Each structure stands twice: as C-alpha cells, then as structure tokens.
Amino acid sequence: MRAARLIKMVLLLQSRPAMTAAELAEELEVSERTVTRDAQALSEAGVPVYAERGRAGGYRLIGGYRTRLTGLARGEAEALFLSGVPGALREMGLQDAASAARLKVSAALLPSLRDASRTAAQRFHLDAPNWFREPRTPELLPAVADAVWDDRRVTARYLRGEDEVVRELEPYGLVLKAGVWYLCARIARAAGGGAFRVYRIDRFTAVDAGEERFARDDGFDLPAFWAERAEQFARSLLRTEVVVRLSAEGVRGLPHVLDARSAREALQTVDTPDADGWVTVTLPVESEEVAHTQLRGLGPEVEVLAPEALRQLFAREARRLAGLYGDGVPGGGVSGGGVSGDETDGTYGDAHRAGT
C-alpha cells in the first residue's frame, strides 16, 4: 500500500510544478505528517524531492527528474476509456483505477499539455440520470461489474415481478440508461440456454461470482445489441391505439409526451389539417391509462376521439377543471381554442416510461 502511495506521490509531483503538503495529503488521502515522512523516504531512495518552507512553499522535483513508472495496468487502461463518465466509474468501483490511469498519462505528457485533463473537464460533463429522479447506486453493481470485467460466470437471484428466480449467467456488458443500470448477459449454456437477456441491476437480490470464466463471443457488439433490444422493448409496450385530434401546437408537442419515434412515425400518416387547422392521427400507446397520463401534457391542444372510455375520462377532467376555475377559463370546452404560441414555451413533461 505504501509503495503504491509513494509512486503516486512521485507522479503527482512530476505532473505539476509544485504541490503543498495539504494538496498532497488530500490527493493521497493521508495526513500532512505522512506526506512529510513519505517525502523523506523518497529522498533517501534517491528521488530528488525538494521541500520549500514558508507560506508559498511546498514539494517539487528538482533536476528535471522523470520517472518511467508510467506504464498502465490493464485495469487502468480500461478505466481510462470510461473516464468521461465519472459517476459511472464511481458506482462500478473503478474510480481509483481511473484516477491512477489519468495520473500516469498526465505524468507522461509534455509540461505544456499537462493541464489538458483539467481544461477538458471544465468544458464537457456527462450527467446521465433523468431530471427529478434521485440516482441510486444498486448495492450489487460493483460485484456485477467485477464479473463483467473478468468474464466470470455468476449465479444471480433476480426479482421477476413478485417471484425470485435463480439464473446462471455469463455477464457480457453493463448499460447505464437514464440513471438505471442494466446487465446484458447470456444464460449459461450449461443451464440449457445460450440466449442473451437484459436484466435491471437493482432487481438482483444476490450475485455469486465464482472463479469459472466463460469464453466471450467476439462477435457480440454491446452498443448494437442494446440498440436493438431497446427498440424492441419500446415497441413491445405499445399494445393499443388511440385516435386524437391535434392542434398545430399539439403536433409540435407530441414527441415530447409520447415515445418520440412512434410519435414521429404516426404524424407522417396524417392527412391535411381540417378547417380549424387540426389533424387527426392514430397513436400507438402502452395502455389507455398511460395514454391518459401522457396526453395530459398537451392540455387543450389535443382532443381524444377514441376509445370512448378515454374520451369520457378527459371530458370529466375538463368539467372538473372548469369547476375549479369557473369563469376564469376563457373559451371552455374540451376541443378547439387552446393556448397561443406566445403563451407557452412548448416544453412538456417527460413521458411515462415503464421499467424493463
């Protein structure tokens, strides 16, 4: 442990002109007293660490000293390619490996390029979770991630509805989608499977990774597999249809409240607008209940024509709203009228999404 810390200290000093004891203590997660002892140990080992006293003092390497201890370990190299997703690295337990990799790369760069990581981080940042959702790291994610990196088979207990099932899995890859972690895995052939499946990590109740490794299929393409399954999943949810009339504002807002691709495909089939400028369109939806929640976001810019039960539900809500606002609601009615373009910014709430 101390040897790794000493190496890290040298690399830190190599990548910067000078560092105070407090800065080194923070980076190394030790006390300033330990930093002093480590600097002395390096000096005794022949590393030219020079300490300057005073308020502007600190530690620096002198004489143009350069260490060649910059070779990346495999785990560090792999983590480096994920360094643009700091939250994901932390949740998978790879933060230390990524930090070591970045430090080694920084130490190997020319002095004029050593601030590249800082300048990039100040200009680009990825924030994966959805708005208004508190991100939660699944407790078993680090164990699953370790198995993915090492190609080790796992025995997993998984909640499917209210039932708990046991699966022997070959974990191929992890996907972070809108703040939710998924595992793309193949059912172990020994269990008579071989098919690929997608599992939500937060539904695992236990994961036991043994020492047995599986032979990874080199033809497996994680991005392509996920894109295909995600599209299949989204389309599998659309089990019913509703017929609606939309104003011009409703047409613009529809992709924001429904599945965007399905909304655009449906809008491509619309006929010429009627005398009021409205169009009639048939929409694929998950259910009448979900359609009710989604179409609410369009307010008076949508009129449900069918099914009748859904139309009546909107009609009852319109009467309740009229009762709440009374004469304060201009125009009245459940269709026509609506909000003019300068009274709304065209932004609608996120559509309801069912989990996998």
Side-chain angles (χ1 to χ4, degrees):
M1 178 65 73
R2 191 189 185 199
R5 189 175 71 241
L6 293 174
I7 292 173
K8 185 173 182 179
M9 184 174 179
V10 173
L11 291 173
L12 283 168
L13 294 174
Q14 184 173 310
S15 63
R16 307 180 193 181
M19 295 184 70
T20 66
E23 291 171 337
L24 283 168
E26 182 179 358
E27 289 281 356
L28 300 172
E29 299 180 351
V30 296
S31 67
E32 292 186 30
R33 184 183 297 274
T34 299
V35 169
T36 301
R37 288 197 298 265
D38 286 352
Q40 183 177 353
L42 287 172
S43 180
E44 292 173 353
V47 178
V49 177
Y50 177 71
E52 294 180 333
R53 299 187 180 276
R55 178 174 298 180
Y59 292 91
R60 68 177 71 245
L61 293 174
I62 61 175
Y65 180 84
R66 304 282 295 176
T67 177
R68 296 185 179 275
L69 296 174
T70 54
L72 292 178
R74 180 175 181 82
E76 294 169 347
E78 291 170 336
L80 184 62
F81 286 101
L82 295 172
S83 59
V85 196
L89 282 168
R90 182 175 58 254
E91 293 177 3
M92 289 189 292
L94 297 174
Q95 187 175 16
D96 289 344
S99 176
R102 287 193 297 269
L103 185 57
K104 289 181 178 181
V105 170
S106 179
L109 293 174
L110 294 173
S112 60
L113 299 177
R114 287 177 189 162
D115 65 343
S117 61
R118 182 184 62 81
T119 56
Q122 293 301 318
R123 288 164 173 78
F124 300 99
H125 176 68
L126 174 64
D127 185 9
N130 273 342
W131 289 105
F132 315 117
R133 175 182 295 174
E134 185 69 25
R136 296 181 180 179
T137 304
E139 182 179 348
L140 296 174
L141 176 60
V144 175
D146 283 345
V148 169
W149 285 115
D150 292 342
D151 294 338
R152 283 182 289 136
R153 288 186 177 180
V154 299
T155 301
R157 293 186 176 275
Y158 184 80
L159 287 176
R160 189 172 61 186
E162 296 183 356
D163 299 325
E164 186 178 66
V165 297
V166 179
R167 293 286 184 268
E168 298 289 333
L169 300 175
E170 297 175 351
Y172 266 66
L174 290 167
V175 175
L176 178 60
K177 170 71 172 181
V180 179
W181 284 96
Y182 296 88
L183 172 68
C184 300
R186 184 169 60 183
I187 299 175
R189 296 186 185 279
F196 283 95
R197 297 285 186 269
V198 176
Y199 302 89
R200 277 183 61 148
I201 302 295
D202 57 9
R203 292 184 181 170
F204 284 117
T205 59
V207 173
D208 180 18
E211 296 301 321
E212 182 183 2
R213 285 177 165 79
F214 63 90
R216 178 177 286 266
D217 182 355
D218 292 335
F220 179 78
D221 185 332
L222 180 60
F225 171 79
W226 175 258
E228 179 184 356
R229 289 304 174 92
E231 181 177 356
Q232 290 176 359
F233 170 69
R235 292 188 179 278
S236 71
L237 296 177
L238 308 179
R239 302 184 182 96
T240 190
E241 292 182 340
V242 299
V243 182
V244 301
R245 290 179 69 235
L246 295 166
S247 68
E249 183 70 18
V251 169
R252 287 192 291 272
L254 189 65
H256 295 279
V257 300
L258 289 176
D259 174 73
R261 176 180 296 181
S262 299
R264 287 192 292 267
E265 290 178 356
L267 289 172
Q268 290 175 356
T269 66
V270 300
D271 295 327
T272 304
D274 60 21
D276 296 325
W278 289 50
V279 296
T280 300
V281 60
T282 300
L283 301 173
V285 294
E286 183 176 342
S287 67
E288 291 183 24
E289 292 79 9
V290 172
H292 173 238
T293 301
Q294 294 172 328
L295 294 175
R296 269 177 168 173
L298 296 179
E301 308 304 326
V302 60
E303 176 189 5
V304 175
L305 302 179
E308 183 62 23
L310 183 59
R311 177 180 174 84
Q312 290 304 317
L313 178 56
F314 272 94
R316 288 194 298 271
E317 284 197 340
R319 289 191 292 269
R320 287 179 61 195
L321 286 171
L324 288 173
Y325 292 98
D327 294 337
V329 180
V334 294
S335 66
V339 182
S340 63
D342 59 354
E343 292 176 308
T344 177
D345 62 2
T347 302
Y348 299 88
D350 286 342
H352 167 84
R353 293 289 182 265
T356 300

